[in-house]
Amino acid sequence: MIIDLRSDTVTQPTPAMLEAMMRAPVGDDVFGEDPTINQLEAMAADMFGMEAALYCPSGTMSNQIAIKVHTQPGDEVICDQTAHVYQYEGGGMAFNSGVQSRLLPGDRGRITAEQVLQAINPDDVHKAHTSLVCLENTSNRGGGSCYEPEDIKKIRQVCDQHRLALHLDGARLFNALVARNESPKQYGALFHSISVCLNKGMGCPIGSILMGSTPFIKKARRVRKVFGGGMRQAGYMAASGVYALEHHINRLAIDHEHARQIAAALQQKPFTGALLPVETNIIIFDVKTPWKTSELVAALKEQEIFCIAISPTQIRMVLHLGISPQMVRRVIEVIKTL
Ligand SMILES: *Cc1c(COP(=O)(O)O)cnc(C)c1O
């Protein structure tokens, strides 16, 4: 029994999701004629209380589109130093938008209004024009940490005072919403644009949704075409998103509980060093000597438990809908033997 905890992107569509996909009515989405994509976009916009939405092939593309629409070449974008938009999008910010990033040392991926305020460049010809702030919730490298909405509100106030756009990389926003019992509309009101992934814990094979105002999404639709992301009968894929929004949000609480159970077992072991607080579905922990990180990954792999070393000293495990309670019991048993 292979137990794959490398990422929540390794999920397989469930039989019910596949069935919904097979039944989807489709059309040419570049002509705006795919009823299932239109349904998904309307559903998401309505859920978050935002004016409009755009279905994108990946979270990387939806983030990159947002950055492109919110900025001009030569601008500066403020984000945490561990942010996905900086660390894991292939330098896309510079490549696609010609902007540079201003990296802040946050707390488990979360930055504060004071930090943002201090990072805004003055109106000076020597300085890049600061135009955008990107937050990430939950934070991937922060071990699935969640923002306090109050702290986001303060960041939004700073953005409003300095005419900055505020974008949320909400790849795992549903995990935060479920963990903290918050509503999507709360978030829709706080950001100029939000990207949420469907290909992570939501269990879809592909896809992300970008949301914002009607004029923002109109521009985003053009940029998506420029980036090569204008799709045709992609309603088959969007149907997995509709299905996930209807059936896969509340179940994220199971993944969070599974993460807590495995983390508790890890905590009992002498090889476990600092373990980041487990707020959602991600576990990140330090491996203590004499164990080497690679040895621990290999020992787990021998028992068909897959996880990854995200740094020379850190291992990450991610829970998702492909992991059953029985698998979690097995992981805990194996951890006890190591
Ligand atoms: C996965 C992820 C993305 C987007 O990833 P894609 O694989 O391109 O869909 C964006 N931000 C964060 C924080 C992520 O974890």
Side-chain angles (χ1 to χ4, degrees), residues 251-312:
R251 66 150 307 286
L252 292 170
I254 299 168
D255 302 339
H256 301 169
E257 178 54 29
H258 285 167
R260 280 192 290 271
Q261 290 169 1
I262 294 173
L266 285 168
Q267 211 116 47
Q268 304 300 315
K269 301 301 291 190
F271 60 67
T272 304
L275 193 151
L276 295 185
V278 176
E279 296 186 35
T280 51
N281 67 327
I282 300 178
I283 304 166
I284 294 180
F285 64 98
D286 265 311
V287 180
K288 273 208 288 211
T289 47
W291 276 88
K292 285 208 181 75
T293 309
S294 56
E295 290 168 354
L296 191 52
V297 171
L300 286 163
K301 191 170 181 189
E302 216 153 274
Q303 305 291 325
E304 300 194 316
I305 297 167
F306 299 171
C307 58
I308 51 173
I310 55 165
S311 81

Side-chain angles (χ1 to χ4, degrees), residues 63 84-85 89 134-138 167-172 195:
N63 279 334
H84 195 279
V85 290
E89 300 190 6
C134 286
L135 305 184
E136 187 173 307
N137 199 29
T138 68
H167 172 71
L168 176 61
D169 175 356
R172 298 187 181 83
S195 162

Side-chain angles (χ1 to χ4, degrees), residues 104 111-120 151 154-155 158:
L104 303 181
I111 56 177
T112 65
E114 292 75 45
Q115 284 179 300
V116 170
L117 184 62
Q118 283 175 14
I120 299 170
D151 293 338
K154 288 183 196 148
I155 293 173
V158 169

Side-chain angles (χ1 to χ4, degrees), residues 1 43 55 58 88 141 163-164 178 186 212-213 288 299 311:
M1 174 169 65
M43 226 174 133
Y55 185 52
S58 71
Y88 304 113
R141 284 303 297 252
R163 296 161 167 242
L164 309 181
V178 167
Q186 243 178 301
S213 68
K288 273 208 288 211
S311 81

